[in-house]
Amino acid sequence: MRENEREKIRHLLVIQDLEGRRTVPLRETTYSLGRHPANTIVLASRSVSMQHAILLRVTVPETDQYGFQIIDGNYKGKGSTNGLFVNGTQCFSHNLRHGDIIAFGSNKAQAKYYAISNISEQAFSESFNVEDLSGFLSEQASPANPFQTLAIDPSFEAASESALARLASFPELIPNPIIEMDFQGRVTYLNPAAALKFPKLREIGTEHPILTGLLSGVDNLEKNSFVREVEVGAEVFEQSVLYLPESDLIRTFIIRDITEQRQATAELRQRDRLLQAVAEAANYLLGEMNYETGIDRALAVLGEAAQVDRAYLFQNHPHPATGEIAVSLRFEWTHSFIESTHHHWQNQPYEASGLARWYTVLSSGKSISGITPKFPVAEQEFLIRDGIQSLLLVPLCLENDFWGYLGLADCTSKRHWSKHEESTLLTMAASIIGTRQRQQVEEKIRYQALHDLLTGLPNRLLFNELLSKTLPNATRNGESLAVIFLDLDRFKVINDTLGHTLGDQLLQSVAQRLKDSLRGGDTIARWGGDEFTILLPRVNDIEEVTLVAYRILQALEDAFHLQGHELYVTASLGIALLDNNSPDAETLIQHADAALYYAKDKGRNNYQFYSVSLSAKNPELLTLEKSLRYALERNEFTLYYQPRVNIATEEITGMEALLRWQHPEMGLVAPSVFIPLVEESGLIVPIGEWVLRTACIQNKVWQDAGFPPIMIAVNLSLKQFRQPKLVETIATILEETGLEPRFLELEIMETTAIEDLDFTRTVLKDLQQMGVYISIDDFGTGHSSLSRLQLLPLHNLKIDKSFIQNLTQDVKVAHIIKAIVTLGHSLGLKLTAEGVEKEEELEFLKSIDCEDVQGFLFYRPLTAKIATEILETKRSTGSMSTLLEHMNY
């Protein structure tokens, strides 16, 4: 008996129930036990629950050994009806030891657990069927039980109920090896699959190929994850590596064993090198770009060289009428005086034609050869009909499937085929299959390069190629053509709200409807995202294009029913016709794109033709509008922070988060330019959520850095405020970022607040209960009154900067501001003046007891870095010592 067989610990469960006694070897990672037939181990007794217990493999710490733990109930945590008893004691879970007796509700269904070593694999297999297992084991080996002597720490997590979730979790049960190592090179975790696959890994440590080189990347982590190939002996694996600096861990996952793939690739290269020297025919197959031409020339060379009368290739396929497996002659070379048999060999069913033996032999990978008289009678009829006296057939197997066969026939003599001729034909068959495989790969690569993988439509590259080919034909024939640029209206809102999976399904459904609405010969392509382009190659008048555009819009009118959702989507279409203004492919696409944005300006869900007047529209605005759709995912947005200062103490009491867009080509875009576009496009919801989350994260960073806590203010637009899940979203962001609600201040415009007072009051009360502060921004511009706003749970009023700008020029404005401050104080509100730039403005505000100000007199909007430096300076000078007193919590 080999040493490793003596060391191996084997596990058995001997079941005794109403159906008798049976032995179950425990080789898997998990078992379910119960009365239901779906269980891994079925127990026959009415005292047993449908799903009574779970048996889990448990890896013993710091070893490559494992035991089993039994747990009462099913995977969802529901306990059994009559309980689980081990050695007479009821328990929820138990780490099994050799000899343990398990009762499932009663003694009518019980089991005994064995953990045995010092036994051969043969003896272990024989033990499954012996009646007296204990006696048998005593005869085979020493009864010493490793699990009785292994010291298992009672605090070992596998023994605690809190760890059951992990024991039944992905790492423990997955058949792929998972290894964790700390940054000191110590192996901290092996799942059972890893311990089984790499038994010496703990012992070898970082010298093991699976772990070699992983520590060298710790000091210079350019990427937190990567995939590599590793060789362990003769095996090759694809390994995923993930660095987790925050946990001081390196986690690796063996994705798959690619040994066979690597071997197949190496064999394919070797075969191709050999085939180049085998024969001129093989060279044709390798060198000819056209597959069919290559086969014809190869068969001709092969037939001439072999001095035969026929060389041909047959392909298997389903019979067009009956669906049964049939064969047809695809390629044939014949000697000059031999007639073709191509018409005889079409759609011949193997079974019905008496060729079942051919299918059986060839599909098993063997060859068929011999003289005609030696073939069965049914086969002789085919051979005699074709004048064949001798035949050699070898199988063609494509990706392990019997794809067809290659044949040589002699019609002039009873030829006995040599091993060399059979080997040559087999080599040629391999060459043909290799060529076929390469053709399939090339077709697949070309298809993937020219098609959108989600919708199957042509992509931008293929569309441009088709357009470039169609233009000369249209010009030559005196015809026109049309290019349509289509964009789904507000698709991003659906995508962000309901998820990308549903968004992808919606795009697929839209693509199908668009295809169905086009004429024969028209082409639709996915340009990118939710944009599509359509080519109408033959256009005689504008009415044809108008009709197609109308059909497209009509095709989208009905609802899309996906995952229980009823979705409606519309589209905007821009159309450019081939004419003097749009004479080439690039211009056609540009003009169709310009017309598309004109259609959006017209209210969406319509089509517009390009005209020269559209060129007058600001091209930068069009570019901005298009770039804005991708700015968030490209991380082009950033936040600036403008401090809010207490007039009396000049301390910073808060920061207002202000959105900025750093365009990669146009630089910093003015908010007055892009914010209206954000509102109009519907992107304000996802972008606003990003602003809120980023601002909360930054405030928490300042608090964690030890700065005195301050308020962070974020403005909510009307569309954001009207979102049905606004309160839920804010609560989630606060929970995720760890920022306490009392340090977040939400600002809403006065016009937003008064549009629907009942709705506003409901939302603000929810936010107030959460602990969030509420401000009215730009107060004084919405033509409301404090008497109306007193119905709302507010904390702060921000006086609009337009009043401050006119403060020193119009005495009436001064009276208005004073009245606002007085009334605000009477309602218990704090007052903040925006846009303060002059000392005389500050002095006036101080004289009327306005608490806080914002403006260039103190600070302009600051980057997070500069804002942090200012807070650091304030802290070091001690000027923020009384800051919290001014926040009035």
Side-chain angles (χ1 to χ4, degrees), residues 56 67 116 214 230 279 312 363 442 448 521 524 558 708 711 713 750 787 883:
L56 296 175
I116 56 178
L214 299 187
V230 292
Y312 34 31
S363 64
E442 289 168 3
Q448 291 177 342
I524 178 171
D558 292 337
M711 203 70 89
E750 182 184 359
S787 61
L883 182 147

Side-chain angles (χ1 to χ4, degrees), residues 20 48 155 223 226 369 392 430 476 479 509 539 541 589 645 681 692 819 832 848 852 882-883:
V48 177
S155 64
K223 294 193 304 182
F226 61 91
S369 65
L392 170 63
R476 185 168 51 251
E479 298 175 337
S509 300
V539 173
D541 53 62
I589 292 173
V645 178
S681 65
L692 185 60
T832 301
I848 63 173
D852 293 337
T882 60
L883 182 147

Side-chain angles (χ1 to χ4, degrees), residues 336-491:
S336 57
F337 57 85
I338 299 296
E339 293 183 2
S340 171
T341 59
H342 193 275
H343 61 286
H344 290 162
W345 287 94
Q346 297 303 310
N347 302 321
Q348 290 289 336
Y350 279 101
E351 196 70 37
S353 300
L355 300 176
R357 185 183 74 92
W358 285 18
Y359 186 87
T360 301
V361 174
L362 293 169
S363 64
S364 69
K366 299 178 182 178
S367 303
I368 291 177
S369 65
I371 58 176
T372 298
K374 297 294 185 180
F375 282 78
V377 175
E379 298 171 11
Q380 288 185 40
E381 294 179 3
F382 286 97
L383 303 180
I384 294 172
R385 180 197 65 189
D386 295 339
I388 296 173
Q389 297 195 38
S390 184
L391 182 68
L392 170 63
L393 303 174
V394 298
L396 293 166
C397 294
L398 181 62
E399 297 177 351
N400 298 323
D401 289 333
F402 177 36
W403 184 74
Y405 50 90
L406 196 62
L408 298 177
D410 197 316
C411 299
T412 54
S413 63
K414 295 180 180 179
R415 183 170 179 166
H416 294 277
W417 307 95
S418 67
K419 287 292 183 182
H420 174 71
E421 289 168 325
E422 183 179 350
S423 176
T424 300
L425 192 58
L426 285 168
T427 302
M428 181 57 62
S431 181
I432 289 172
I433 286 298
T435 303
R436 176 62 179 164
Q437 286 175 321
R438 281 192 295 276
Q439 183 205 24
Q440 288 182 327
V441 170
E442 289 168 3
E443 289 174 351
K444 183 177 181 180
I445 291 174
R446 176 170 172 78
Y447 182 88
Q448 291 177 342
L450 297 176
H451 289 79
D452 172 53
L453 297 183
L454 177 65
T455 63
L457 296 177
N459 61 12
R460 182 183 303 199
L461 184 64
L462 181 55
F463 183 85
N464 286 332
E465 183 180 308
L466 294 172
L467 178 57
S468 298
K469 289 180 179 178
T470 305
L471 276 170
N473 294 332
T475 304
R476 185 168 51 251
N477 298 330
E479 298 175 337
S480 183
L481 59 80
V483 170
I484 302 177
F485 217 123
L486 181 151
D487 182 271
L488 298 181
D489 298 329
R490 299 180 179 85
F491 170 78

Side-chain angles (χ1 to χ4, degrees), residues 220-244:
N220 185 21
L221 287 179
E222 294 183 1
K223 294 193 304 182
N224 276 13
S225 65
F226 61 91
V227 176
R228 67 175 186 174
E229 292 182 6
V230 292
E231 295 184 11
V232 182
E235 297 178 292
V236 185
F237 301 94
E238 188 174 69
Q239 177 188 24
S240 173
V241 180
L242 176 64
Y243 288 96
L244 302 170

Side-chain angles (χ1 to χ4, degrees), residues 635-652:
N635 297 318
E636 295 173 4
F637 288 120
T638 187
L639 287 188
Y640 277 47
Y641 300 90
Q642 186 171 28
R644 183 171 66 199
V645 178
N646 181 270
I647 294 178
T649 65
E650 295 191 1
E651 293 177 353
I652 296 175

Side-chain angles (χ1 to χ4, degrees), residues 718-719 721-722 749-760 784 788-789 792:
L718 175 61
K719 289 185 178 179
F721 191 71
R722 293 291 175 181
M749 299 285 288
E750 182 184 359
T751 51
T752 299
I754 66 175
E755 183 175 283
D756 184 343
L757 277 175
D758 290 337
F759 176 83
T760 302
S784 67
R788 296 177 69 188
L789 294 179
L792 303 177

